[in-house]
Amino acid sequence: MEVDPTKARGHIISDETFCFTEDLCKLYHLCIGFNKDPLDEDDLKFTYEYDDDFTTFPTICLLAMKNIHLKVFDTPGLPSLKPEQLLHGEQIVESFKSIIPGSTVKCIASVEDVADKIKGMLVTIRIDILDPDDNEIHYSRCYMKCYVKGCGGFGDKGILDLKIPSPPTRDPDDILEIQTDKRLALFYRLCGDLNPLHIVPKAAQSVGFPSPILHGLCTYGIITNAIYKTYCPQDHTSIKKISARFASPIFPGETITLHLYKSDCSIFFTAFTSPSLPACIGVISLSSTAKL
């Protein structure tokens, strides 16, 4: 079957509800680094259900995306695909309003674009997180870019321009070191991503990794949390947009070295686990209240 992007664009692949239970919220926040110091009272608003300001961090909306990329397989205009053909390459989150712990949201996912990349194609999925009773209440919008191997050559270069800019070439303004737990992938999978690639050694080895890798979206949350604590502590609503490109895997237990570059109300970042190999590259846009 030939690829026909005009049939695929706008196709709704999922329209479901998702419940952010209080326990799920607490687990997620612990996984991305809140209350590493158990005595840090500022973090309790993310990890303690009886805190007066109990709330959620902007990246938690990603939990509602569970397996959405697999539902693209039945999209009109796209050929039959296999899970191993998909590579999650980039992730963008636009945050509008904090999700209330314990609440249920509506999650609408659609194919936003399909673009020819010669040896493959780039499928962009848009996910809108809404109040199920009032669609005017918009919590967040996510863009998930998946590269699909072996489906290129159809000529359509796409209609979206969501390129993630590269960080500056100058020296970083700040450098952070983040130590990950060797068991982190085991804990994070309880947030809903049960891919054996993250827990079974033979599954990781079957696709070329020496051992299970950390979930990319866990890394995404860890980096965002580190930037939040550095530049806008106690005001998570300052985070307006997070854009990241996944370049290479991170293994549980590795130390993430984060190079940060300030530019107006944005923080560019590059995350390394080895000096010459970036693992994640991106930019976070903050409100004017952030302390840069």
Side-chain angles (χ1 to χ4, degrees):
M1 176 183 174
E2 294 186 1
V3 177
D4 185 348
T6 60
K7 292 182 179 179
R9 293 185 187 117
H11 175 69
I12 295 177
I13 60 176
S14 178
D15 185 347
E16 301 175 350
T17 57
F18 183 88
C19 183
F20 287 92
T21 67
E22 290 188 353
D23 284 347
L24 179 61
C25 293
K26 290 180 289 185
L27 174 63
Y28 174 78
H29 293 139
L30 291 170
C31 285
I32 65 169
F34 285 104
N35 273 126
K36 270 193 170 181
D37 175 1
L39 301 182
D40 187 343
E41 293 188 357
D42 290 336
D43 281 3
L44 292 179
K45 64 183 176 184
F46 298 109
T47 59
Y48 180 50
E49 66 276 16
Y50 295 116
D51 189 272
D52 291 341
D53 298 316
F54 188 40
T55 187
T56 60
F57 197 62
T59 53
I60 201 170
C61 63
L62 297 170
L63 298 186
M65 291 171 33
K66 182 175 63 175
N67 296 329
I68 277 179
H69 62 293
L70 300 180
K71 298 178 182 179
V72 77
F73 296 159
D74 296 324
T75 299
L78 298 185
S80 298
L81 303 174
K82 297 178 181 179
E84 56 266 29
Q85 289 179 272
L86 270 70
L87 176 66
H88 187 181
E90 297 181 5
Q91 183 66 55
I92 297 172
V93 168
E94 296 176 354
S95 180
F96 309 125
K97 183 180 176 66
S98 295
I99 295 169
I100 301 170
S103 64
T104 296
V105 301
K106 188 174 187 179
C107 181
I108 302 176
S110 60
V111 176
E112 187 77 354
D113 197 17
V114 178
D116 184 8
K117 295 298 178 181
I118 309 301
K119 293 184 178 181
M121 65 178 175
L122 187 66
V123 178
T124 302
I125 302 170
R126 188 181 89 182
I127 305 99
D128 287 294
I129 310 295
L130 310 166
D131 187 300
D133 300 317
D134 183 358
N135 288 357
E136 294 298 315
I137 299 177
H138 201 168
Y139 293 109
S140 57
R141 173 171 290 166
C142 309
Y143 292 95
M144 181 182 193
K145 292 186 179 183
C146 294
Y147 180 77
V148 185
K149 296 180 289 185
C151 297
F154 51 89
D156 192 316
K157 298 304 180 182
I159 60 174
L160 280 185
D161 185 15
L162 290 174
K163 293 181 180 178
I164 297 175
S166 298
T169 55
R170 59 180 172 83
D171 290 339
D173 295 301
D174 294 291
I175 298 177
L176 305 179
E177 298 261 319
I178 306 167
Q179 178 65 51
T180 63
D181 191 294
K182 290 183 178 180
R183 301 170 298 167
L184 184 53
L186 281 71
F187 296 139
Y188 188 81
R189 69 185 298 272
L190 301 179
C191 292
D193 187 339
L194 303 181
N195 190 329
L197 176 67
H198 304 293
I199 189 171
V200 181
K202 287 184 179 179
Q205 292 161 7
S206 71
V207 291
F209 298 119
S211 60
I213 63 173
L214 186 60
H215 305 71
L217 294 184
C218 183
T219 301
Y220 189 94
I222 289 170
I223 291 172
T224 305
N225 181 16
I227 291 174
Y228 154 74
K229 289 189 172 182
T230 303
Y231 297 111
C232 47
Q234 302 179 3
D235 187 12
H236 62 287
T237 62
S238 291
I239 300 171
K240 299 303 179 185
K241 185 176 181 180
I242 310 115
S243 304
R245 179 168 67 253
F246 303 113
S248 62
I250 291 176
F251 295 89
E254 287 189 312
T255 298
I256 300 171
T257 301
L258 200 56
H259 288 195
L260 305 174
Y261 308 82
K262 295 184 283 188
S263 177
D264 296 326
C265 289
S266 296
I267 303 294
F268 289 83
F269 64 84
T270 304
F272 300 88
T273 53
S274 65
S276 60
L277 185 62
C280 189
I281 298 165
V283 59
I284 293 181
S285 300
L286 306 173
S287 69
S288 58
T289 60
K291 299 176 182 179
L292 300 187

